[in-house]
Each structure stands twice: as structure tokens, then as C-alpha cells.
Amino acid sequence: MKKLGEYLIEALASQGVRHVFGIPGVHNLELYRGLAKGPIRHISGRHEQGLGFMADGYARVSGRPGVCFTITGPGLTNIVTAMGQAYGDSIPLLVISSQNRLGENGGGGGFLHELQNQRAVASGVAALSFSIESPAELPPALEQAFAKFASSRPRPVYIEIPLDVLAADASELPLPKPVVITPQPEASLVESAAARLRTAQRPVILAGGGALRAVAELRALAERLDAPVVMTANARGLLPPGHPLAVPMSPMLAPVRALVAAADVVLAVGTEFGPTDYSINLKADFPNPPQLIRIDIDAQQLTRGATPVVGLHGEAKQTLDLLMAADLGPNRAGDGTARAAAARSAALEAVSKFSPSLRQHIDVLDLIRDTLPDALMVGDSTQLVYGGNLGFNARHPGSWFNSATGYGTLGYALPASTGAGLAAPDRPVVCLVGDGGLQFSMSELAVLGDVKAWTAVIIWNNQGYGEIRTSMIAVGIEPEGVDVRPPDFADIARAYGYSHRTITSREALETALGDFGRRRQVVILEIPADEFA
Ligand SMILES: Cc1ncc(C[n+]2csc(CCOP(=O)(O)OP(=O)(O)O)c2C)c(N)n1
Ligand SMILES: [Mg+2]
């Protein structure tokens, strides 16, 4: 007899799943029965939140869903934060949790790991959630999950399976066959958008994370229209450093807003106009651009944040192709390059004025990128990363991501780095994390060794919650609760068997990263913020 747990492994493998991030327990043993002999590699975390972040980093880099296994109750509640981050950033996660036996969950019977309403806890951070009550319900749930990942805004999907159902007979169950139907924008709307772009004299493109899988199409359209491309933090690298139309600067910055305000037509691709990209630090709301055309795979998102004159409900790649095939008028040889260059330099100037240290951080990030051109740079919510979100450009799309926008969870970077490295084993990973944020998930350092990662963990050590300290001082609050003492990171590195270097200059950083690039190992590079110059 094949049990449902074994079926699930086969079903996941049939959908191309090759890595699962999990922590086993007596409650999900049946998920592991079929695992060892199949093609799926299991990575054990040290805490379920770490599993979720690993799966998130893995999904961003591989373009495939990150799959997690947790136990009932605490396993699920521990991963909910990571699901929240993935929900906020539109990352496909499939979280599969066990549940108490049918009739033994949520009744207050005091069963091991019992939660009042486990599905309700997960569903707040999931696009879809399923409670499986008999084996026959699992294939359609998996079909919906994988169809959703491939056809709509990707976000976490949650499936819980009670212990007795996991052990039930699944010998006759068919493998899931998801039917993927992507939304197609109406031809008349595509024509209406093209007509506006055809006559545009000063077009600008705003690109968000939703455009990451449409690199060639976006570049082609930008060049065809001679349109500067403003990239949000998640879109950096869509146009690489040196591309004359690239504006890898935050739309919060006044010169970037001025570029957009001076445009006659703005095309926004896969961006939600969320405040953490468009307005939070520099406060005032982003002005609603005149003649806005939006492309989004999420129909609801099309009218949230900024209202378009034309909304194209579709996947970025296909929709940009449709626009390219439409009549866009004669080739431009306008002033797009000059407009982009002016916005870039004025925006960098604005960053320097706003904060010289943020400007310095962009230089440090440039140095990292230029020393390790293929690196995946995965960040936490720390000062070094904030500067990057304002004005750093990645060499490749998807090579710069962090938890400083959206849900904004500390502790993300380290486990997400591990997942990123598993998805791209031939690329070095640079984890950018503060001394405070690292301590949220420091136990996951162990996993870097387990998977023989090629990761440099760069710790920006300012002895506490630096940004919060600064924020308290700025509003006249005597700093409290922010001078949290970090451990001796050299000792921590030694405990896990990794080398550690203290870095106090750009030259030392370059040398250390050069060594790291040659030796495929884990290194901990600690930058004492007040000594670094
Ligand atoms: C889970 C979580 N708790 C609290 C916060 C609030 N918070 C944002 S940044 C920050 C400081 C983090 O310190 P560190 O990682 O050392 O970065 P620094 O600001 O010092 O560069 C805090 C506490 C958060 N974003 N996430
Ligand atoms: Mg700090």
C-alpha cells in the first residue's frame, strides 16, 4: 500500500520539485517515508522560520516554488512570519504542514501541538489554503497550488494534512495535472496602450519585481521607445549598470519623481506602487503619474496604489511582447538617454545630501558587485542595505533582494542566502546582514555548512539596532532598547567551523572577497561600522 505521504513526494517530484526545506517530527513522519529514495533533496533547518526564508531565497533565484514541510502547531506558527514576507514580496512558497487527526484538532482536547484553528492562522499569509480530509482531496489541491504559481501573482499556498489522512491509502491516486491558464489582456486595451506609447514624446517605464522574468522584452521595449527605466529594489539588474536607459534609483528620490512627473506617458510593469518602494522614508506620497499604463498579473493590483488610464491584466513577458508587436510608431532617437543620465546623477546627489553614509554604502555595494560579478546579493533590513535600495544596481536581474521592503523581517538574509545558493550552486552568494538581524536567525549558520555553501556573510556591526537608535534620536527619544550587545562573531564563526575576518577598509574588503571568490567556502566578514573607511 502506498500511503498519502509517499504519494505526496511522488506528486511533488512530478511537478519538478527537487528541494524541500523541512523539520521532521512525530507529527509529519509520513511525509518522510518516500523522501530518501526519490529525487528530492531535503534540507533541514534549525527553526521553521529559517526554512521559510530558505525556500523564499530558493524560489527567487530558481523561479520555482520553494517547498517546506513543518509539523502541526508550533512548526506552522514558526513559519508564518516567513510566509508573511513571501506574501508581501509575491514569492511562491508551498507550505505543507501536518495536522492532528480528524476530530482531534481545534476542539481544546489538549492534543500534542493542538492549535485552535491552524488553517486560519496560515490563511492570513497564504493566497490559497487547504485542509485535506481524505486522500482524494490532495491531487486537486496540488493542481490548484501549481496552477496558481504558474498563472497568477505567486504567493504562499498552504496545505495541511491530518496524521491519519497522511497514513491513509493513496495507491490509486492520479498524479496532479495542473492546468495553467494565464490572463490575456484584451486586444483593444493593448491597442489603446500602444496608441498612447506611439505618440509619447517623453515616456518612462517603472519596473517592479513582477518584470523580473521579462528581461529581454523589457529591455527591447525600453530601447524601442527610448524610455528611461526606473527600477524598484526588486527589479534592479533588469537593465544592468552602464545601460544608458537604466535608472536604478528609488522612486522615493525627488529627481526620480521629477523624471516621472515630466513624462507624458508612464508604463508601469509588475510594480505595486507600495510605500516601502515609493514613499516611506522620504514620506510624501508618490504623485499619480499622468497617462499611466499598468501591466499586472493581479487584476486587483491594477487599480491599487495608482490608477491607470489603461490597465493590462496579463503576465509581463507576454504582455510586453504584445506591445512590441503593436504599432509603436517610428523609431525614436530622442532624449531618453539624457533624461535617464540626468535623473541618475541628480538622484545620487540627493542620496548624498540626505545621508552621506547611505551614499558610502552604495559605493561599498558597487565594490562587492564589481569584485564578484556573478554574486547573488541577499540582504536583511540593515543600514548597508537601505543605501542599496535607494541607488544600487545589480549586474543581473534577481541578484539583489532583501527584506528591507514590504513585510520587512529581520533575520531573513542568512537563511534566504542558503536557499539562493542551493538554487544557483555555481554562483557566489553574499549575505548582507546587521549584527541585530543576524541574531534573529543565527542558528541557521549551521545549514551553510550542511549544504557546503559558497557564501560570504558580511556583518555590518554597529553594536545594536542602529537604524532604530538613529530614529529615536531624530524624534527626541532617549535611546532605549537599541544598544543590544552582539556576541563575539569571531567565536561564533569558530564554533561553526568558518573563517572570520574583521574588515576595516575597502581594500581589505576587496581582498577578502577576492579570496572568497577563489575558495568556494563559507566566510564571515565582519565590518565594524565605526572603524570602516
Ligand atoms: C522581526 C522584526 N522585528 C523588529 C524589527 C524592527 N527593526 C527594523 S530594523 C531594526 C534594527 C536592526 O538592527 P541591525 O540588524 O543590527 O541593523 P542596523 O539598523 O543596526 O544596521 C529593527 C529592530 C523588524 N524589522 N523585524
Ligand atoms: Mg546593527
Side-chain angles (χ1 to χ4, degrees), residues 4 7-8 11-12 28 31 67-72 76 79 83 93-99 118-119 122-123 126-135 137-146 149 156-162 165-166 176:
L4 189 64
Y7 163 85
L8 176 65
L12 292 174
N28 64 5
L31 287 176
V67 182
C68 300
F69 286 174
T70 74
I71 60 152
T72 318
L76 184 269
I79 205 171
M83 293 170 73
L93 293 192
L94 177 58
V95 176
I96 298 173
S97 171
S98 54
Q99 169 60 295
Q118 184 169 304
R119 182 177 172 189
S123 64
L128 295 173
S129 66
F130 301 90
S131 224
I132 303 300
E133 295 190 356
S134 73
E137 292 175 17
L138 185 56
L142 290 169
E143 283 167 357
Q144 283 192 58
F146 283 93
F149 296 142
V157 172
Y158 171 71
I159 300 180
E160 65 183 28
I161 312 176
V165 183
L166 261 183

Side-chain angles (χ1 to χ4, degrees), residues 228-320:
V229 179
V230 177
M231 293 167 263
T232 65
N234 277 326
R236 299 289 163 75
L238 269 173
L239 265 57
H243 191 292
L245 293 170
V247 185
M249 319 287 306
S250 169
M252 286 184 214
L253 298 163
V256 179
R257 291 181 174 193
L259 170 77
V260 175
D264 49 0
V265 180
V266 173
L267 173 65
V269 187
T271 181
E272 62 177 2
F273 288 89
T276 57
D277 274 301
Y278 284 80
S279 54
I280 196 169
N281 284 347
L282 304 180
K283 302 292 188 280
D285 283 343
F286 189 72
N288 206 2
Q291 291 250 48
L292 175 66
I293 300 166
R294 284 183 81 168
I295 299 176
D296 209 294
I297 197 153
D298 180 345
Q300 285 180 325
Q301 196 57 51
L302 277 174
T303 52
R304 250 190 235 137
T307 312
V309 288
V310 183
L312 301 177
H313 181 209
E315 192 267 330
K317 200 179 174 80
Q318 285 171 3
T319 309
L320 289 171

